[in-house]
Amino acid sequence: VPLVVCCRLTDYRSQANHLELSRAVTIQPLTNEQITAYFAQIGERVVSLRTAFDHDPVLQELATTPLMLTILILAYQDSPLEEIKGGGSAEGRKAQIFATYTQRMLRRRKAETRYAPEQTIFWLSRLAWQMKHQSQTIFSLEQMQPGWLMKKWQRRLYYGLITGPICGLFVGLAA
């Protein structure tokens, strides 16, 4: 039976028992040369990002994964150099990049969306907090719990909607 195992290399090596696999592939971080070549392939839309990348070790460190490189490109394409430059720690820069990315993605939505950007950010932040609190990294509706509801009346309504029909079924069967 074909089997694929994905994990972080350091976590795998720290295990007492290792799997006997016929092959293993290790995904390496992107090199600066690969990133620069990708910027060149995209062209003029990322010229400011490419300039910032060439002179910013924090950006160079952040861009080593395909996901983060894509986020950087989507956040800063067609942006002036001044918007991309920043100081501070890698974590601070990452927060700045995600904030810029979020704003860009919200602007790409249709004008007649149901929720304002502030509401969207609030609920996504709340969802992220709950997932972190529950040690979840993948969002699934099936994994949501009533305790995630913010207000007491919301939890009561949920339990009422769930237990009401069940109690009605038992009463109906008993009669």
Side-chain angles (χ1 to χ4, degrees):
V1 175
L3 175 70
V4 176
V5 178
C6 300
C7 72
R8 298 181 191 278
L9 186 59
T10 54
D11 293 341
Y12 179 73
R13 287 186 175 157
S14 69
Q15 299 299 310
N17 297 317
H18 294 158
L19 299 173
E20 291 186 33
L21 303 170
S22 61
R23 292 186 187 110
V25 175
T26 303
I27 299 174
Q28 300 293 323
L30 297 171
T31 64
N32 285 355
E33 293 77 24
Q34 290 171 316
I35 296 166
T36 302
Y38 191 58
F39 286 152
Q41 185 180 359
I42 295 172
E44 292 297 315
R45 298 192 76 187
V46 293
V47 74
S48 295
L49 179 59
R50 182 178 178 182
T51 302
F53 175 83
D54 288 340
H55 299 93
D56 189 338
V58 174
L59 273 182
Q60 292 172 5
E61 177 65 29
L62 290 174
T64 58
T65 65
L67 174 63
M68 198 63 195
L69 179 59
T70 301
I71 288 171
L72 283 166
I73 290 167
L74 290 171
Y76 293 121
Q77 66 186 358
D78 300 321
S79 294
L81 185 59
E82 297 76 33
E83 187 179 323
I84 302 169
K85 286 185 175 180
S89 68
E91 285 303 312
R93 290 293 296 282
K94 194 182 286 189
Q96 172 197 359
I97 291 163
F98 281 124
T100 303
Y101 171 78
T102 302
Q103 291 303 320
R104 283 272 178 122
M105 294 302 105
L106 288 172
R107 274 187 268 162
R108 285 175 56 173
R109 298 185 326 168
K110 296 178 186 173
E112 66 268 355
T113 56
R114 184 172 180 179
Y115 300 103
E118 297 78 22
Q119 288 177 296
T120 303
I121 290 171
F122 172 80
W123 288 111
L124 287 173
S125 299
R126 176 78 178 154
L127 178 62
W129 183 86
Q130 284 289 359
M131 289 178 66
K132 185 174 182 182
H133 186 71
Q134 301 293 328
S135 300
Q136 292 182 3
T137 56
I138 298 173
F139 175 72
S140 171
L141 283 175
E142 292 81 18
Q143 297 294 324
M144 288 184 70
Q145 299 297 314
W148 289 28
L149 298 170
M150 292 176 62
K151 297 185 169 108
K152 196 177 227 177
W153 71 267
Q154 292 170 331
R155 289 188 293 275
R156 284 185 180 156
L157 177 63
Y158 170 82
Y159 287 120
L161 290 172
I162 295 299
T163 57
I166 293 171
C167 290
L169 178 65
F170 285 130
V171 168
L173 290 175

